[in-house]
Amino acid sequence: MISLIALILSLSLIMCLAYKGYSTIITAPIVGLLTLLISLGLNSHLMANYTEVYMSGFANFVKSYFPLFLTGAIFAKLIDEVGYGKSIASFITTKLGKDKAILAIVLSGALLTYGGVSLFVVAFILYPLANILFKEADIPKRLIPGTIALGAFTFTMTAMPGSPEIQNVIPMSYFGTDTFAAPLIGITASIIMFTLGMLWLTRRAKKARDNGEGYGNHTDTNRIDSNEKLPNIIVSIIPILIIFITNFTLSKFYFPNTDGSYLNQYGITLDKVSGTWSVIIAIVISIIYIILLNYKKLKNLNNTLSDGVKNSFLPLLNSSAIVGYGSIIKALPIFTSIQTGIMNISSNPIISEAISVNIICGLTASASGGLGITLSALAPTFVEMSQKLSISPEILHRIASLSSGGLDTLPHNGAVITTLAICGLTHKESYKDIFVTSVVIPIFTTIIIVAIVSIKFAF
């Protein structure tokens, strides 16, 4: 009982501190270790858990994602520096109209994530564009994180058939499926999430406009000068197309047909790293393209690259701190008890799966982490239960993926903290919209899908 209370207080405290704007780099290890101390008392071995559990989770995240954060931040800085961001923003504003800024960013985020670009990288790419578009449309800057979240953290992450995002890839190895599992369910869920998300954001923008609230005064704001000569739109979108096409080609054709046996000496398999490698290579090629094409325009390339590097550090460290905190939570004895208790909620594997994945993702503040933990422990049970009801593995795959995109984006989630840091905004200013678009709406959508599927197999 003490352990459960400690866990609840721990989650409440770290979410509250994140919302108040305290750095998770400081709060995450402190709250995690306090949780251990309350739960285990003198047997908590605080220093051992700090260096071997917390820091292992922290370091593993840095090891896996530092190249993505670094290259993504440099790429975003370069397209801003050479004017490609302004060019794209100007084109979208002209073609769709200033009032379509929210739609433009949502669709851009969806395109990038569906193309396989990491959620963390997408935030780096989209922010310079959103910054300009929202200023031109005079939409409050505080709505940018929620808009990015809708385009990147929802339907293309968990619902769209064929999505290469890790949340749609993890279930494959447990259910023997592919990324296109249960396409009708996935498309239906995508439409619901997109529609409700757009309704919410446009309503928020209209309410702000009616109240006389504009973009706001922000020192990092760029504007499009009507007299400024901007790069050609085709030239401007080529770097993004390079990322999309290169990533798709490497991940779908090159690496799947490459002999990865040499990786055995490193203790890994090619399928575990090829997705990350594909994105890193794609972004690096795009960076090189921008530099070569604009070498004379980049008068101080060293400063530009240095600024990009600096921009990657804080988001990376914040996210790593939360992953470290999740590692401590997973090590608590109560964590296993919670997993077991969830299975007793319902004899329906779809309901049990949806609830268990959501809760574990919330506890670990990670969609991929929570999904992996849940399926590694419970997937065989879900499969056995589903066979008795003639429920296909494809449905289990889609429900698992959908469920990972709910409680994962609570205030202490790494992607949330990263996005807010990139946008230069606080939880108090912008988390409400992130919560609605990436927590409330996805959970509501999952409930609808689970209800429909459950009714179908009840008769």
Side-chain angles (χ1 to χ4, degrees):
M1 187 64 179
I2 294 178
S3 294
L4 181 59
I5 294 174
L7 178 59
I8 294 172
L9 290 175
S10 173
L11 291 170
S12 300
L13 180 58
I14 197 165
M15 285 190 284
C16 180
L17 291 172
Y19 194 85
K20 292 285 186 180
Y22 288 93
S23 172
T24 54
I25 300 173
I26 298 173
T27 61
I30 294 174
V31 174
L33 294 176
L34 282 175
T35 307
L36 279 172
L37 184 61
I38 296 172
S39 299
L40 304 177
L42 297 177
N43 295 320
S44 54
H45 306 299
L46 292 184
M47 288 310 299
N49 273 288
Y50 175 68
T51 59
E52 304 307 314
V53 179
Y54 175 84
M55 285 309 301
S56 290
F58 185 104
N60 285 335
F61 188 86
V62 173
K63 170 182 173 292
S64 299
Y65 292 103
F66 174 65
L68 289 175
F69 276 77
L70 177 64
T71 55
I74 291 174
F75 175 83
K77 182 64 180 177
L78 282 170
I79 64 170
D80 183 45
E81 192 77 14
V82 301
Y84 289 173
K86 287 185 179 180
S87 176
I88 295 171
S90 177
F91 179 81
I92 293 174
T93 302
T94 302
K95 296 300 180 181
L96 294 180
K98 292 182 179 180
D99 59 326
K100 298 297 189 298
I102 291 175
L103 176 62
I105 295 302
V106 171
L107 293 179
S108 297
L111 176 64
L112 289 168
T113 48
Y114 197 67
V117 178
S118 167
L119 307 178
F120 297 105
V121 176
V122 168
F124 280 110
I125 296 173
L126 287 184
Y127 173 65
L129 306 182
N131 185 22
I132 299 170
L133 284 176
F134 276 55
K135 180 64 177 180
E136 291 298 305
D138 205 27
I139 298 172
K141 181 183 177 181
R142 60 182 173 83
L143 296 181
I144 290 179
T147 304
I148 292 175
L150 177 60
F153 303 167
T154 60
F155 57 97
T156 51
M157 184 180 86
T158 64
M160 281 295 289
S163 172
E165 293 299 324
I166 191 66
Q167 292 79 7
N168 190 40
V169 171
I170 289 174
M172 291 167 49
S173 60
Y174 295 98
F175 300 124
T177 51
D178 57 38
T179 57
F180 293 90
L184 184 59
I185 292 176
I187 292 172
T188 302
S190 297
I191 292 172
I192 295 173
M193 281 189 267
F194 173 78
T195 303
L196 293 179
M198 284 300 303
L199 287 173
W200 170 263
L201 291 171
T202 52
R203 176 177 173 274
R204 293 277 285 170
K206 181 179 183 301
K207 184 177 180 180
R209 184 169 57 252
D210 293 343
N211 292 334
E213 181 187 357
Y215 182 84
N217 296 319
H218 300 280
T219 57
D220 63 339
T221 302
N222 290 320
R223 294 205 65 171
I224 302 174
D225 186 345
S226 58
N227 296 318
E228 182 180 359
K229 186 177 180 180
L230 298 174
N232 179 275
I233 182 61
I234 301 299
V235 174
S236 300
I237 64 173
I238 285 178
I240 294 177
L241 291 176
I242 288 175
I243 293 177
F244 185 90
I245 295 171
T246 304
N247 179 43
F248 182 82
T249 302
L250 292 175
S251 61
K252 291 294 184 182
F253 300 104
Y254 177 74
F255 283 121
N257 295 301
T258 300
D259 180 12
S261 58
Y262 69 94
L263 291 173
N264 292 336
Q265 61 183 311
Y266 300 101
I268 58 173
T269 56
L270 185 59
D271 62 304
K272 299 295 184 182
V273 295
S274 60
T276 301
W277 288 0
S278 297
V279 178
I280 293 171
I281 294 171
I283 296 176
V284 169
I285 291 175
S286 190
I287 287 173
I288 293 173
Y289 166 82
I290 295 173
I291 292 174
L292 291 178
L293 200 65
N294 298 274
Y295 188 77
K296 292 183 179 179
K297 191 174 183 179
L298 292 166
K299 297 179 181 179
N300 200 326
L301 179 59
N302 184 43
N303 284 349
T304 300
L305 295 176
S306 296
D307 287 343
V309 172
K310 293 175 185 176
N311 290 343
S312 71
F313 287 156
L314 186 58
L316 173 66
L317 294 178
N318 277 323
S319 298
S320 300
I322 286 299
V323 173
Y325 169 80
S327 298
I328 288 181
I329 296 302
K330 286 187 289 184
L332 293 173
I334 190 65
F335 191 81
T336 303
S337 300
I338 290 173
Q339 283 185 306
T340 304
I342 292 171
M343 290 304 300
N344 297 323
I345 294 176
S346 173
S347 59
N348 185 325
I350 297 174
I351 296 176
S352 295
E353 183 181 47
I355 294 174
S356 60
V357 171
N358 249 305
I359 291 177
I360 303 303
C361 287
L363 291 176
T364 58
S366 169
S368 57
L371 182 60
I373 292 169
T374 305
L375 294 185
S376 63
L378 303 176
T381 304
F382 292 144
V383 171
E384 183 180 348
M385 293 168 67
S386 65
Q387 289 174 343
K388 298 176 181 178
L389 299 175
S390 298
I391 298 174
S392 70
E394 284 75 19
I395 292 177
L396 290 177
H397 173 129
R398 187 55 55 205
I399 296 299
S401 183
L402 279 173
S403 302
S404 71
L407 291 177
D408 64 309
T409 42
L410 292 176
H412 57 310
N413 171 265
V416 169
I417 292 170
T418 296
T419 301
L420 290 172
I422 292 170
C423 295
L425 294 164
T426 65
H427 280 75
K428 186 175 182 179
E429 291 172 307
S430 298
Y431 182 69
K432 179 178 180 179
D433 298 297
I434 295 176
F435 181 74
V436 172
T437 57
S438 66
V439 178
V440 176
I441 291 175
I443 288 178
F444 175 73
T445 301
T446 302
I447 291 172
I448 292 176
I449 297 299
V450 168
I452 293 173
V453 175
S454 296
I455 290 173
K456 175 183 178 182
F457 287 98
F459 299 98

